[in-house]
Amino acid sequence: MMNKDLPRWATGFVMPLLNLLSALLVTALVIHLLGESPTESLAILVNSAVVNPEGLSYTLFYASTFIFTGLAVSIAMEAGLFNIGAEGQMYFAGLGLTLAMLTFDSSLSAWLLIPIGMLGAALFGALWAFVPGYLQAKRGSHVVVTTIMFNYIAGALMNTIIVKLVPPGEQNPASRAFAAAAEMPRLNQWFPILGETPLNISFFLAIIALVIYGVVVSRSSWGFKLRATGLNKHAAHYAGIRISKMIIIVMLISGALAGLGSVNSIMGSTHYLSLNFVGGAGFIGIAIALMGRQHPVGIFLSAVLFGALTQGGFDLSLEKQNIPPEMVILVQGLIILFCGAMENLYGPAIAKMLKLKK
Amino acid sequence: MTFDDLHIGSILVSTVRNAPVLIFAGMAGLFAERSGVIDIGLEGKILASAFVSAAVGFATQNPWYGVMAGIVASMLLASLQAYIAITQKGNQLVAGIAINIAMSGLTFVVAQYFFQQGGRTPDLGSARLFDVVLPGSAAVEHIPFLGWFYAHLIGGHSVLVYLAFALVPLVHWVVYHSRFGLRLRACGENPHAADAAGVNVERQRYMAMLIAGFLCSFSGAYLSIVQSGFFLRDMSAGAGYLALTAMVFGNWRPLYTFLGCLMFGFFGAVQIQIEGVELPVIGRLPGAMIQMVPYVLTVIVLAGLMAKSVAPKALGSPFVKSR
Amino acid sequence: ADPKLGIVYDAGGKFDKSFNQSAFEGATRFKKETNINFIEVQASSDTQAEQVLRSLARKNLDLIASIGFAQQAAVQKVAKEFPKVRFVLIDGVAPGANVNSITFKEEEGSYLVGVAAAMASKSKKLGFIGGVDIPLIRTFACGYAQGAKAVNPKVDVTSNMVGTSSDSWNNPAKGGELARSQFDRGVDVVFAVAGGSGLGTLQTAKEKGKLAIGVDSNQNSLYPGSILTSMVKRVDNAVYDSFMQMKNGTWKAGVTAKGIKEGGVDWALDENNRKLITPEIEKRVLGARKDIIDGKIKVIDIRSGTACPV
Amino acid sequence: MQPAVEFRGISKHFGAVKANTDVNFTIAKGSIHGLVGENGAGKSTLMSILYGYYRADGGEILLDGQARRIHNSQEAIALGIGMVHQHFMLVENMTVLDNVMLGSEGGVRLKAKRASVEAELREICARYRLDVDPLATIHDLSVGAQQRVEILKQIYRSASILILDEPTAVLTAQETASLFEILRLFKEQGKTIILITHKLQEILDITDTVTVMRGGRVIGAVPTAGTTKEALANMMVGRPIENNLPRAPYNPGAPVLQVENLQLRDDQDVKLLADIGFTLRAGEIVAIAGVSGNGQSELMEILAGMRVPTSGKLAFLGKDLPFNGRSDPDGLPRTFRELGIAHVPEDRLRDGVVKAFSVMHNTILGYQDKLKNRWGLLNFKAIAARCDALMKSFDVRPNNHDLRIGLLSGGNQQKVVIAREVLAQPKLMLVGQPTRGVDIGTIESIHAQLLKLRDEGVAILLVSVELEEVRALADRILVMCGGRITGELKIEEFDTTRIGLLMGGEHKS
Ligand SMILES: Nc1ncnc2c1ncn2[C@@H]1O[C@H](COP(=O)(O)OP(=O)(O)OP(=O)(O)O)[C@@H](O)[C@H]1O
Ligand SMILES: Nc1ncnc2c1ncn2[C@@H]1O[C@H](COP(=O)(O)OP(=O)(O)OP(=O)(O)O)[C@@H](O)[C@H]1O
Ligand SMILES: [Mg+2]
Ligand SMILES: [Mg+2]
């Protein structure tokens, strides 16, 4: 209510910035306590994640995955569903993609393999979200609970399957590597300045997905129905929206989006399916959706921020002996805390200052 | 597979030992959510108290100091959550998730800094909480069934196990038969009504969150100073989420939540027992497949038996005075 | 000049009480003896592994030790890009003229501890607790069972896995719970191959007065009197040797599988478990050890595609 | 006169909105004091300040001559102030007993007190002739009964100053009458009562003095005895109110809706509707009168496609309504809307609007698919223009289509809903409680709209518990009780007593 009176530049720019600074301040304190220099650490972080072109490309590579998982969580959230299962959906989607690649990578060209891989991933991701969606729609089983369960189930199932895909004589619990044709074209072939980077066209796909998401959710009649369902089920029913169908469809889309995240991770980087390749990207998607307020621009910025942390924090731990890689996790948590949960921390203060000036 | 292969006795004892982590956290979540505050941050609180309990327990070589320090840590986190959810009227889900993530990082960083063992605390050794042996256990040990029942199912656990089980009727009483509980439920259902009736909604929610923090700390202490004897990074391993699931499963009611926790403990124990055992029809299941048994069963039970869960109506929405 | 050395741990980190830690110890030993420093980094994901290796390679390091099979693809790729940099891959095989791949015959060491376990067990029921159900862990389990059954075909081996996620290596509560449940079923010796979760197993064994077997490094000293022995996997030696060879200019690329004969795996006998290992056990284990070295006993490696015979 | 409450220079603003400006007046002890004014005049705000919800920006409140600062509801309750809110303040899944005890439990253990409180409640119920079972759960109670629980709460706490904010908005004539009986009893006991209502007849019936507010200020305070409805209305709105709106002569056309033998049972197989049958023709308004909770809501929901009947025949323009054996109404309202059935739901906040949407978005709710282009996109420029036109012609205030509709007053929300449904040019219009909680000026304009629609040949089915409204709008009247139609009257036969009997279940005589 307070914010209503604040100008947009304050709520949209100054406050998030202050929140981010607060998170960094706490981080700096921790770094100081660990006996390292906060300013140097920040310099390393920024340099590694943004200034250095190769680092920036890694930032954007991680961001591409996060955009997809962030979108997956966001779209479900618009319908009032809290999909905690992006992690499992992306994991299972990796299987769909991999099965497609293992089948076709020796016979088809890249132009066909990429769409097929995306389709496989989206399909399997959607499939993994279908059951929770269906149970929510038809049986009223809480989607939060079922998606958590489905994360665990995906873990167990994928473990069983991946072990079966290991080529004989290999140690790594992973499928065989795909043929070169099944690799997403990397951006460094057009922009050599990016250096050796896994950044690939998935990044553009992610941007396209953001735009489509933005248009569909806020400009289309389906998006209108989606949001109405999320905000008021009774009114949605009154408006003739088929709520159970909506829930199932939105969960399918959500799962498919989470699934597309695996295209970047697998076809864009490792080129094989390995155990636990998702590595928390699904959970980060929750943070991104919440911090980004389910808005395409917000999702993009949060995804890039988290990508930068993943990249920069890694270099930081490399250069600073006392800062373990786990420090990044703490910083992520702090940023979500300040920028996502306490977004209004400085609202009253700013309001007061503006009033005083007048 | 014969009946004996199932080792019912072992499963039951294992259930009793598995459940307390979930019971403490489940009851904690119940207080928070019954007051209207979503507590997805159980995981982070468990982890924080597990670490602090172990670290202080080790440093002082007294498990009870560890437990107390764990309580302080968990309650501090709960107050932060409360401050965000109640005073700041921020997003409760975000707050909880942020705390989970931050604690996963912080416990590692701090443990590493102090102990230099890769985010682990040293072994507590004798500073652990050990199992209580009921008087006369040795004497009755040899009586069939009754001996086992007395010495191993009822007896032979840590004090915290008894605390966990004793907690359930206590929570039930507080929620349904005390003034505090009446106000708690009212705040979670319709804070405006509570407010109009002269209940201080914010204070009530703060208290609920502090209780949640208090109870949740035992979950962490149980993990580190009872079950393991040290702290290890991310050792909560999803217990907070599982407890939350048990609570939703239990429809935000203490007794059913307790049953949910037992159910998870039980399925977990069954899963241990059937690993590697030749099952009728299916044959021998691969280890990883068996891991999913508890989760699949939960989904089935949720879809079949307890489809409709009714959350407290005001859950998740900050209380803003006005109509 | 001194060689520039680097070591890259995998997601477990250098304190995993498992092979990363062992590698760290080997490198540290080298440093102490030679006063030559090394750079160390942890790669948390497969994508990061490639990034790390590349950034180390760009620093013109002479030798990079990559610990863990997860880095296999990354080593293969980066080694190709930087033919002048040499790589040692532990636990995996990558082709390349500048790569030395070192794997271990975990089945052989496990066989030895299986023999010891079967002899020490009164109930003739043995337990195995693995972290995650992957081929490497199954190799341990199968070697262990082969050794045990060689002593007495009637010995029963119960096997459990902690879980399926990466948490499974950090869940001592579950590791302990699995052990309790196995003890309830009559098991009296348990072999834990589960990283941090295994610590819970060892501890529970001590608490319950049963025997446990440690893994990777010599864990006998953790709970003297209740740890029967440890299946040591000398990653430390592999790293130490590689660094030494680099220093002495004798480093060679290739593929090595280190078994007992090559000093890659072994059982651990020291003052901590001296009392537990009776002369008969010792005799039998040493006999088996000799037979394996002489090739009289061939322990099946399930990774070669052969099913576990027991 | 001894003053119980004195407002001195009270001001309160919310952002730019001046809800109360320099409010001064006095309420005499032991009197019933009426408070009237348009929607948004500032009545609720003033009472909220008295009850400690809001802190006034300026001015002071005197209780029994003493200046008091009331910071929260606890303090208000301690000072003997009780409030029955516009929207009931009850915890739905708790019993009456627990709701009464909430906040005044009298000890840590509930059990110790429960029995004695229950006995006391039964005693109060008997004394005040309040028909409430203390052990019933709130969501099982009718609206009227919930209202009685609110009163019960205040009696139990022996409030000496009782504020009632639109207590009669959802009550039937009988319920209102019995509420007033209780209020008179209170007055006899020396309690002070402040009554907010939009129904001027009630002011005349029961109050001693009446204060009129407009735009946050007090326009006047007059003894009730010396005033008339017209005079009050004039003060409130600033212009005379037309009571007899023009309407074309009754000339019904072809049947639009035919209902035969309609039955509805709930999950527990309880009969909610039985043997409903009637015909509705083009160009007529048929009103369904009855105590709320007697099946009217269910009937409306069935006709709107929001619920599926157990059995029965429903024909719209001669064709069967497409329930075709479905058990799930999911999506059905859309089909019905496309056939030409519009629906103004009785619970507008629950069903009729999405509070978090802007006014503009709410004007397309239910019609979103009609307005999309072939890409499925909505042209929000055009929709905004459409919305502006609509807001202008229905006089929706404030005139800003980007405002969240939740910020509009109930009356203005209602105008948006009605405008939206009228704009769809329906053949049948279902209207539930169109003027609940709406001020007289707005009632006038809503009634005018509905009559215009009728004159244009639309068939209108009106559900209202307001007999005044029924009399003002209906051509024919059906009375429902216990899920059945107990009688039918032409408007010429309008007779409050007879309708009252039929509403009570007295069968067609
Ligand atoms: N919490 C609030 N925040 C902002 N503005 C408010 C708030 N409450 C009331 N207002 C504004 O104050 C004015 C007075 O509102 P109030 O609710 O007191 O009117 P009212 O006379 O009770 O109306 P009604 O007859 O509809 O109940 C309105 O213009 C409204 O917009
Ligand atoms: N949070 C709020 N912010 C701004 N204004 C508000 C808020 N809450 C209520 N109001 C204002 O208070 C006034 C009264 O609101 P309320 O919902 O009580 O309407 P009402 O006309 O009394 O409707 P009804 O009694 O039929 O529900 C409205 O004019 C509305 O604009
Ligand atoms: Mg009002
Ligand atoms: Mg009103």
Side-chain angles (χ1 to χ4, degrees):
Chain A
M1 246 194 323
M2 277 292 195
N3 275 343
K4 211 170 46 186
D5 297 328
L6 288 177
R8 264 183 93 128
W9 58 262
T11 56
F13 183 72
V14 174
M15 280 169 55
L17 207 66
L18 285 175
N19 289 321
L20 189 60
L21 283 179
S22 313
L24 293 181
L25 215 65
V26 178
T27 310
L29 183 71
V30 176
I31 290 181
H32 177 75
L33 291 177
L34 293 177
E36 297 281 5
S37 153
T39 46
E40 263 175 48
S41 305
L42 183 69
I44 294 173
L45 202 127
V46 172
N47 190 45
S48 143
V50 189
V51 179
N52 166 6
E54 185 170 304
L56 178 65
S57 71
Y58 265 95
T59 296
L60 296 180
F61 165 75
Y62 293 120
S64 312
T65 304
F66 296 157
I67 288 174
F68 278 112
T69 53
L71 281 175
V73 180
S74 293
I75 199 157
M77 224 169 247
E78 289 285 356
L81 299 167
F82 194 39
N83 177 13
I84 301 194
E87 185 85 3
Q89 287 145 18
M90 179 168 157
Y91 200 5
F92 193 65
L95 179 65
L97 180 155
T98 303
L99 291 181
M101 289 307 108
L102 296 181
T103 317
F104 296 115
D105 69 345
S106 55
S107 54
L108 296 182
S109 73
W111 290 115
L112 283 170
L113 283 173
I114 291 170
I116 288 177
M118 288 172 62
L119 198 70
L123 217 63
F124 272 57
L127 185 68
W128 207 248
F130 171 74
V131 180
Y134 179 85
L135 290 177
Q136 171 78 66
K138 303 285 180 185
R139 306 280 320 162
S141 325
H142 220 292
V143 81
V144 171
V145 179
T146 46
T147 51
I148 291 179
M149 294 299 111
F150 265 67
N151 283 341
Y152 289 116
I153 298 173
L157 191 65
M158 290 296 284
N159 194 329
T160 313
I161 295 170
I162 291 175
V163 166
K164 294 214 157 54
L165 293 177
V166 179
E170 288 284 343
Q171 283 271 47
N172 197 5
S175 73
R176 74 162 166 82
F178 311 149
E183 298 181 1
M184 294 297 267
R186 295 193 168 181
L187 298 192
N188 53 11
Q189 47 183 320
W190 299 293
F191 308 101
I193 191 182
L194 295 178
E196 275 303 322
T197 171
L199 182 64
N200 59 81
I201 57 166
S202 301
F203 177 66
F204 296 129
L205 295 177
I207 302 290
I208 294 172
L210 276 173
V211 173
I212 295 179
Y213 169 88
V215 170
V216 167
V217 167
S218 56
R219 299 270 140 197
S220 78
S221 99
W222 185 80
F224 179 87
K225 293 193 275 191
L226 175 76
R227 286 182 294 148
T229 308
L231 291 169
N232 182 349
K233 293 237 161 18
H234 296 287
H237 175 53
Y238 160 84
I241 296 163
R242 295 182 59 180
I243 292 171
S244 41
K245 190 174 140 199
M246 182 58 90
I247 288 176
I248 294 174
I249 288 180
V250 80
M251 280 304 285
L252 287 174
I253 295 176
S254 175
L257 281 167
L260 286 174
S262 71
V263 174
N264 186 47
S265 302
I266 298 180
M267 288 177 78
S269 170
T270 59
H271 309 119
Y272 55 76
L273 174 67
S274 58
L275 219 52
N276 303 315
F277 77 90
V278 181
F283 291 116
I284 290 182
I286 298 174
I288 286 171
L290 291 169
M291 264 181 63
R293 305 276 128 191
Q294 293 98 261
H295 189 280
V297 176
I299 295 170
F300 178 79
L301 291 177
S302 321
V304 171
L305 183 62
F306 277 86
L309 275 177
T310 313
Q311 160 61 18
F314 163 71
D315 270 3
L316 184 60
S317 70
L318 215 148
E319 303 206 8
K320 294 275 169 195
Q321 282 301 318
N322 273 344
I323 301 181
E326 282 73 11
M327 187 75 194
V328 176
I329 305 178
L330 172 63
V331 182
Q332 285 178 346
L334 288 174
I335 289 184
I336 300 173
L337 194 66
F338 280 98
C339 301
M342 296 202 274
E343 46 161 6
N344 257 338
L345 194 58
Y346 298 106
I350 290 183
K352 220 182 222 169
M353 252 168 47
L354 291 178
K355 289 264 158 59
L356 281 181
K357 268 193 194 160
K358 265 182 209 166
Chain B
M1 191 178 71
T2 69
F3 178 78
D4 235 25
D5 285 340
L6 266 175
H7 298 272
I8 296 293
S10 171
I11 289 181
L12 293 183
V13 176
S14 182
T15 304
V16 169
R17 254 196 329 264
N18 284 341
V21 178
L22 301 180
I23 296 177
F24 285 121
M27 294 299 143
L30 196 126
F31 271 101
E33 302 221 335
R34 266 306 176 97
S35 83
V37 181
I38 298 180
D39 194 356
I40 208 157
L42 292 171
E43 183 84 4
K45 283 180 283 192
I46 296 178
L47 206 54
S49 77
F51 168 66
V52 174
S53 304
V56 173
F58 172 77
T60 60
Q61 282 298 306
N62 182 337
W64 292 110
Y65 288 146
V67 171
M68 281 189 266
I71 291 173
V72 173
S74 175
M75 285 178 77
L76 277 177
L77 283 179
S79 339
L80 174 65
Q81 255 183 309
Y83 171 74
I84 293 170
I86 302 163
T87 308
Q88 282 275 314
K89 308 197 194 306
N91 187 318
Q92 302 168 5
L93 284 168
V94 189
I97 288 181
I99 282 176
N100 292 347
I101 295 179
M103 285 308 115
S104 168
L106 187 66
T107 51
F108 182 95
V109 171
V110 177
Q112 172 64 13
Y113 182 72
F114 282 115
F115 303 107
Q116 296 290 328
Q117 293 196 14
R120 191 169 50 236
T121 66
D123 205 292
L124 284 167
S126 57
R128 266 178 81 195
L129 277 179
F130 288 101
D131 294 349
V132 175
V133 176
L134 292 187
S137 287
V140 296
E141 184 95 57
H142 302 288
I143 308 171
F145 186 73
L146 272 182
W148 164 81
F149 187 80
Y150 180 75
H152 295 287
L153 190 62
I154 305 278
H157 302 289
S158 157
V159 185
L160 290 191
V161 175
Y162 300 105
L163 185 61
F165 281 80
L167 197 59
V168 178
L170 182 68
V171 172
H172 176 86
W173 184 86
V174 169
V175 169
Y176 291 110
H177 299 290
S178 77
R179 173 170 68 191
F180 183 84
L182 183 69
R183 294 179 171 197
L184 180 82
R185 285 180 286 136
C187 289
E189 276 311 310
N190 188 348
H192 298 285
D195 185 41
V199 173
N200 187 333
V201 175
E202 303 205 335
R203 203 182 74 193
Q204 188 73 25
R205 286 188 171 175
Y206 261 102
M207 278 167 39
M209 285 310 290
L210 287 178
I211 293 178
F214 176 74
L215 292 179
C216 199
S217 75
F218 289 102
S219 206
Y222 184 76
L223 269 180
S224 66
I225 57 182
V226 176
Q227 281 197 300
S228 313
F230 53 87
F231 170 83
L232 192 60
R233 62 179 300 194
D234 292 328
M235 75 186 304
S236 50
Y241 290 101
L242 224 50
L244 203 71
T245 307
M247 188 195 62
V248 175
F249 176 88
N251 249 324
W252 288 265
R253 286 181 288 187
L255 296 180
Y256 288 89
T257 301
F258 170 67
L259 286 182
C261 296
L262 282 187
M263 177 187 78
F264 280 125
F266 179 77
F267 287 162
V270 169
Q271 165 222 321
I272 292 172
Q273 297 290 340
I274 58 175
E275 192 164 349
V277 173
E278 205 71 41
L279 295 173
V281 191
I282 323 165
R284 191 184 277 224
L285 280 175
M289 291 292 271
I290 289 171
Q291 302 289 340
M292 67 165 84
V293 167
Y295 310 117
V296 171
L297 287 177
T298 306
V299 172
I300 293 174
V301 173
L302 214 60
L305 291 179
M306 299 197 159
K308 293 267 182 286
S309 51
V310 190
K313 268 215 197 76
L315 186 60
S317 42
F319 173 60
V320 182
K321 257 194 204 193
S322 86
R323 297 124 304 151
Chain C
D2 288 339
K4 289 200 271 179
L5 305 168
I7 181 164
V8 180
Y9 307 108
D10 80 356
K14 71 173 170 184
F15 293 109
D16 64 349
K17 285 250 157 176
S18 185
F19 59 94
N20 284 301
Q21 186 158 356
S22 186
F24 167 67
E25 283 159 9
T28 311
R29 173 149 50 98
F30 171 81
K31 182 176 162 183
K32 266 200 200 127
E33 290 177 11
T34 62
N35 255 329
I36 298 177
N37 217 338
F38 58 92
I39 302 176
E40 46 180 353
V41 202
Q42 177 184 336
S44 306
S45 69
D46 295 11
T47 304
Q48 248 179 22
E50 192 181 317
Q51 193 185 359
V52 174
L53 287 174
R54 190 174 288 114
S55 71
L56 288 187
R58 280 186 188 147
K59 294 189 176 158
N60 288 318
L61 261 62
D62 295 298
L63 179 72
I64 300 170
S66 289
I67 314 302
F69 51 61
Q71 301 188 40
Q72 177 181 323
V75 168
Q76 183 171 340
K77 193 158 178 216
V78 178
K80 214 188 275 172
E81 293 172 22
F82 296 88
K84 289 208 193 115
V85 179
R86 274 157 275 199
F87 295 84
V88 176
L89 173 61
I90 302 287
D91 261 5
V93 178
N98 54 339
V99 183
N100 185 20
S101 307
I102 301 174
T103 58
F104 293 86
K105 297 180 178 168
E106 288 89 358
E107 67 280 6
E108 293 185 356
S110 303
Y111 185 96
L112 296 187
V113 301
V115 170
M119 305 247 334
S121 168
K122 297 194 184 71
S123 64
K124 298 301 159 205
K125 285 185 177 166
L126 305 186
F128 178 87
I129 291 172
V132 175
D133 189 6
I134 53 174
L136 175 65
I137 300 301
R138 283 195 207 164
T139 306
F140 279 93
C142 180
Y144 177 66
Q146 289 177 68
K149 304 244 171 170
V151 172
N152 178 355
K154 292 222 192 77
V155 166
D156 196 38
V157 182
T158 306
S159 169
N160 282 113
M161 298 291 171
V162 176
T164 58
S165 61
S166 32
D167 288 354
S168 312
W169 306 103
N170 295 319
N171 194 342
K174 183 88 183 278
E177 193 52 42
L178 291 170
R180 280 168 192 270
S181 145
Q182 292 191 348
F183 296 150
D184 284 347
R185 283 191 273 173
V187 166
D188 56 359
V189 185
V190 62
F191 182 23
V193 189
S197 307
L199 297 175
T201 307
L202 302 185
Q203 189 176 60
T204 304
K206 165 172 183 247
E207 217 174 285
K208 291 272 152 187
K210 310 281 180 182
L211 293 173
I213 298 173
V215 78
D216 286 342
S217 51
N218 183 348
Q219 297 183 313
N220 292 358
S221 62
L222 283 180
Y223 302 104
S226 75
I227 299 194
L228 179 64
T229 179
S230 297
M231 189 311 238
V232 291
K233 178 170 158 183
R234 303 309 298 257
V235 178
D236 53 341
N237 284 351
V239 172
Y240 175 86
D241 291 346
S242 299
F243 283 8
M244 252 335 173
Q245 288 159 3
M246 198 64 224
K247 178 172 181 285
N248 302 333
T250 57
W251 188 89
K252 273 210 287 293
V255 178
T256 349
K258 292 184 171 240
I260 297 177
K261 193 170 157 190
E262 296 81 11
V265 294
D266 212 333
W267 71 316
L269 181 60
D270 57 19
E271 71 279 10
N272 292 309
N273 65 339
R274 190 63 262 182
K275 279 195 222 120
L276 296 170
I277 303 291
T278 61
E280 301 89 80
I281 299 180
E282 187 175 354
K283 196 169 150 230
R284 185 89 191 236
V285 174
L286 289 178
R289 189 170 180 278
K290 185 161 183 309
D291 286 349
I292 293 173
I293 292 175
D294 296 346
K296 279 194 222 142
I297 296 177
K298 275 222 124 338
V299 188
I300 304 277
D301 173 7
I302 59 137
R303 287 169 294 193
S304 62
T306 331
C308 190
V310 290
Chain D
M1 175 195 90
Q2 199 189 346
V5 184
E6 276 179 78
F7 296 101
R8 283 202 189 151
I10 299 285
S11 293
K12 173 78 191 167
H13 69 89
F14 296 103
V17 178
K18 290 198 159 54
N20 287 152
T21 311
D22 192 23
V23 171
N24 287 295
F25 68 93
T26 304
I27 296 165
K29 205 179 191 79
S31 73
I32 301 183
H33 192 105
L35 192 55
V36 296
E38 282 183 297
N39 289 127
K43 309 177 295 287
S44 297
T45 304
L46 187 66
M47 291 304 114
S48 294
I49 292 170
L50 177 57
Y51 196 59
Y53 274 163
Y54 295 139
R55 197 87 66 81
D57 299 333
E60 58 178 356
I61 294 176
L62 279 66
L63 295 181
D64 291 327
Q66 265 190 311
R68 296 279 188 184
R69 295 221 144 257
I70 305 169
H71 298 98
N72 52 41
S73 48
Q74 292 97 298
E75 291 182 17
I77 292 167
L79 289 168
I81 301 173
M83 181 153 174
V84 176
H85 295 77
Q86 218 170 322
H87 303 286
F88 298 148
M89 293 294 185
L90 297 170
V91 185
E92 291 236 312
N93 64 354
M94 286 187 187
T95 60
V96 173
L97 180 60
D98 281 352
N99 267 285
V100 173
M101 287 177 73
L102 181 65
S104 51
E105 296 85 352
V108 175
R109 287 175 61 223
L110 294 181
K111 216 176 201 148
K113 271 279 184 169
R114 263 192 182 123
S116 67
V117 177
E118 187 189 334
E120 193 172 341
L121 290 187
R122 289 193 192 283
E123 191 268 326
I124 294 172
C125 287
R127 183 145 44 93
Y128 288 88
R129 269 170 279 139
L130 282 167
D131 175 22
V132 182
D133 174 9
L135 297 182
T137 307
I138 300 296
H139 59 55
D140 293 334
L141 298 180
S142 68
V143 181
Q146 294 188 14
Q147 172 79 268
R148 294 196 286 275
V149 178
E150 288 282 16
I151 303 282
L152 192 56
K153 254 162 74 176
Q154 304 310 333
I155 304 176
Y156 174 75
R157 295 178 169 205
S158 42
S160 59
I161 299 169
L162 186 59
I163 308 163
L164 299 119
D165 195 350
E166 296 186 45
T168 59
V170 291
L171 298 190
T172 59
Q174 279 87 344
E175 285 169 335
T176 303
S178 57
L179 172 68
F180 285 177
E181 279 306 308
I182 297 166
L183 294 189
R184 287 197 187 95
L185 262 172
F186 278 9
K187 185 180 158 185
E188 280 168 24
Q189 295 170 358
K191 295 180 198 253
T192 309
I193 292 157
I194 306 171
L195 175 70
I196 300 178
T197 179
H198 287 296
K199 301 174 190 173
L200 298 182
Q201 185 59 49
E202 292 173 1
I203 294 288
L204 298 185
D205 285 349
I206 192 160
T207 63
D208 302 312
T209 342
V210 53
T211 297
V212 181
M213 290 183 72
R214 190 194 323 153
R217 295 172 182 278
V218 172
I219 293 298
V222 291
T224 311
T227 187
T228 61
K229 269 200 239 182
E230 287 70 25
L232 284 175
N234 213 335
M235 278 167 83
M236 276 168 68
V237 190
R239 64 177 164 85
I241 291 288
E242 188 57 64
N243 267 330
N244 292 309
L245 293 164
R247 64 198 290 163
Y250 183 48
N251 182 20
V256 172
L257 177 72
Q258 284 152 298
V259 180
E260 276 173 45
N261 203 16
L262 185 71
Q263 320 281 340
L264 178 72
R265 293 161 186 277
D266 68 5
D267 301 339
Q268 277 93 48
D269 211 37
V270 175
K271 263 192 193 175
L272 297 179
L273 291 176
D275 311 325
I276 303 284
F278 63 90
T279 300
L280 179 61
R281 293 167 181 278
E284 71 170 347
I285 297 181
V286 172
I288 298 182
V291 179
S292 61
N294 276 280
Q296 305 97 309
S297 313
E298 288 80 2
L299 176 61
M300 290 290 264
E301 284 183 1
I302 289 173
L303 297 177
M306 293 174 69
R307 227 182 225 261
V308 175
T310 314
S311 67
K313 205 167 130 46
L314 289 153
F316 178 67
L317 297 174
K319 285 207 200 88
D320 277 358
L321 275 173
F323 287 106
N324 28 0
R326 295 173 56 157
S327 62
D328 185 2
D330 212 12
L332 208 53
R334 172 180 161 161
T335 316
F336 280 29
R337 202 165 274 128
E338 281 167 2
L339 288 172
I341 300 177
H343 180 202
V344 177
E346 76 180 281
D347 192 339
R348 63 177 164 263
L349 279 181
R350 195 186 73 150
D351 297 326
V353 300
V354 177
K355 261 197 336 200
F357 273 173
S358 67
V359 173
M360 171 177 80
H361 280 88
N362 271 291
T363 56
I364 63 167
L365 187 71
Y367 301 95
Q368 62 280 346
D369 287 318
K370 257 173 81 177
L371 297 165
K372 68 182 174 192
N373 68 11
R374 68 200 164 101
W375 301 102
L377 299 183
L378 295 167
N379 179 351
F380 278 108
K381 222 179 218 171
I383 290 169
R386 175 178 175 271
C387 175
D388 286 339
L390 169 157
M391 287 175 82
K392 197 156 172 234
S393 71
F394 282 79
D395 187 28
V396 177
R397 275 177 287 184
N399 192 351
N400 174 359
H401 63 243
D402 283 329
L403 220 56
R404 272 192 292 126
I405 203 165
L407 298 178
L408 258 53
S409 74
N412 281 300
Q413 289 170 355
Q414 185 70 329
K415 283 195 246 174
V416 172
V417 174
I418 291 177
R420 174 182 74 206
E421 298 305 311
V422 169
L423 213 65
Q425 299 180 311
K427 308 217 169 49
L428 167 63
M429 179 87 152
L430 307 167
V431 188
Q433 317 290 359
T435 57
R436 179 174 283 175
V438 170
D439 69 48
I440 43 171
T442 311
I443 291 177
E444 182 196 24
S445 83
I446 289 175
H447 283 183
Q449 284 292 347
L450 292 176
L451 287 173
K452 183 160 157 260
L453 218 55
R454 160 195 180 268
D455 294 347
E456 287 166 2
V458 176
I460 297 179
L461 189 65
L462 168 78
V463 167
S464 178
V465 293
E466 222 56 72
L467 284 187
E468 265 319 299
E469 178 160 76
V470 169
R471 193 218 287 268
L473 293 178
D475 296 305
R476 285 189 295 138
I477 301 160
L478 299 172
V479 186
M480 277 182 76
C481 177
R484 290 167 190 278
I485 293 181
T486 48
E488 178 176 344
L489 300 87
K490 295 206 181 61
I491 189 66
E492 303 86 65
E493 304 165 329
F494 190 94
D495 170 7
T496 321
T497 327
R498 175 141 174 249
I499 294 176
L501 283 174
L502 290 169
M503 277 161 66
E506 202 96 346
H507 248 274
K508 337 184 171 178
S509 42

